[in-house]
Amino acid sequence: MKIAVTYDNGEVFQHFGKTENFKVYEVEDNKIISSEVISSNGSGHGALAGVLADQGVNVLICGGLGGGAQTALAEAGIEVCAGAVGDTDKAVQDYLDGTLEDAGVTCDHHHEEGHSCGDHEEGHSCGGDCGGGCHGCGTPQIILEGKNAGKTVRVHYTGTFNDGTKFDSSYDRGEPLEFISGAGMMIKGFDKAVVDMEVGDIVDIHLMPEEAYGMADPDAVFSVQISELPGSEELEAGQQVYLQNAMGQPFPVKVVSKENGVITFDANHEMAGKELNFKIELVEIC
C-alpha cells in the first residue's frame, strides 16, 4: 500500500490544491518500509489526483481540500483523510494505528441518479469518505447525538424544491432508504432530522444549502482545450455528459461554455446552492 501526504518541510501542507510536494510512504504489514518526496509538477486541483494515481497511491493524508478535489481523488480510487496537521511521519503512523480522524469535506461533487455521493444509491447520501463519518479513515464514526445514532434505520421520503416541484421520492421507487443514523452517511440536515425520530413519525424539514449539498465549489469548474478532448467539439453549453478520470472511471459534468478553443465543465452537484424540503417517515429501526 502507498500513502501520500501533502508535504512542506516535514509538515502536513494545509492546502491540497497548492501543494508542491508529496511525501509518499510504502507500507507493508501495517509498517512503513520506505518513503520519498515527489513533486506535484505544478499540477492543479484536478490533475493532482492523476499524479497520485500514477504513483499507485491508495491513501492521501492532507490538511484542507475542496469538494472538487475530493471528488477527483474518490474517482481515482484514493481514500482521503483530511484535516491532518503537524509532522507527516506521525500522521502516517497515526493512520496506521487507526487514530487519525478524517475531518471530512462538504459533499457537493459528482452525484448519480437519486442524488447520492460515491457508493450509495439514492436518498441524498454522502459517500463513504466524506461528510465526517470516518474514524481512523475507515471505521464509521457516529458524529451526531440522538437515540437513533449508530442504528441502522429505514426511511421513506419525498424531496421538493421551494416551488413545490418534486425532485426525488423513495415512495415512487417502492423501497425505503436504509442507512446508519448519525454516521454522516446522509446530507447533514436529513441526518439530523432522523436521529431523534420514533418509528412511525413523519416530519417535514426545510434545509438551507449549508445543511444540504453546500454551495457550489469553484474548484469543480475546470477548462480543457477542445483539441485535447476528442468529441468535445460536438458538445453544446448546457449539456450533461460524462468524462473519464485518470483511472478510466466516468463522472458526470455539465458543459458551461465553449469559446476560443476551450470548453469549460462544471462538476458541481446539481443541487449545490439550493434550498431543499423533505417529508421523512421513519419506517423501521433495524
Side-chain angles (χ1 to χ4, degrees), residues 70-86:
Q70 193 274 347
T71 299
L73 291 160
E75 295 289 349
I78 298 173
E79 178 186 338
V80 177
C81 273
V85 295

Side-chain angles (χ1 to χ4, degrees), residues 61-216:
I61 296 172
C62 62
L65 82 170
Q70 193 274 347
T71 299
L73 291 160
E75 295 289 349
I78 298 173
E79 178 186 338
V80 177
C81 273
V85 295
D87 184 77
T88 57
D89 293 350
K90 183 179 185 303
V92 173
Q93 190 59 56
D94 287 346
Y95 171 84
L96 295 175
D97 292 341
T99 59
L100 185 65
E101 294 193 20
D102 178 19
V105 296
T106 56
C107 180
D108 60 359
H109 41 275
H110 310 319
H111 294 259
E112 304 291 343
E113 178 64 25
H115 316 286
S116 61
C117 169
D119 294 330
H120 298 279
E121 291 183 355
E122 71 274 316
H124 314 277
S125 57
C126 180
D129 295 324
C130 62
C134 206
H135 178 73
C137 295
T139 304
Q141 177 192 13
I142 305 307
I143 61 175
L144 294 178
E145 295 183 357
K147 55 192 171 187
N148 298 330
K151 299 177 182 178
T152 299
V153 299
R154 304 182 81 217
V155 303
H156 266 309
Y157 67 91
T158 297
T160 58
F161 296 120
N162 285 345
D163 65 1
T165 302
K166 181 171 65 176
F167 59 81
D168 195 11
S169 174
S170 65
Y171 292 102
D172 293 345
R173 290 189 292 274
E175 180 67 27
L177 168 69
E178 182 175 303
F179 63 96
I180 298 175
S181 178
M185 295 172 66
M186 310 300 296
I187 55 175
K188 186 186 301 183
F190 195 105
D191 208 0
K192 286 171 63 176
V194 174
V195 76
D196 278 315
M197 290 177 66
E198 299 277 0
V199 173
D201 283 354
I202 299 176
V203 299
D204 291 289
I205 60 173
H206 173 77
L207 303 183
M208 299 300 289
E210 292 76 12
E211 290 198 315
Y213 289 100
M215 301 305 292

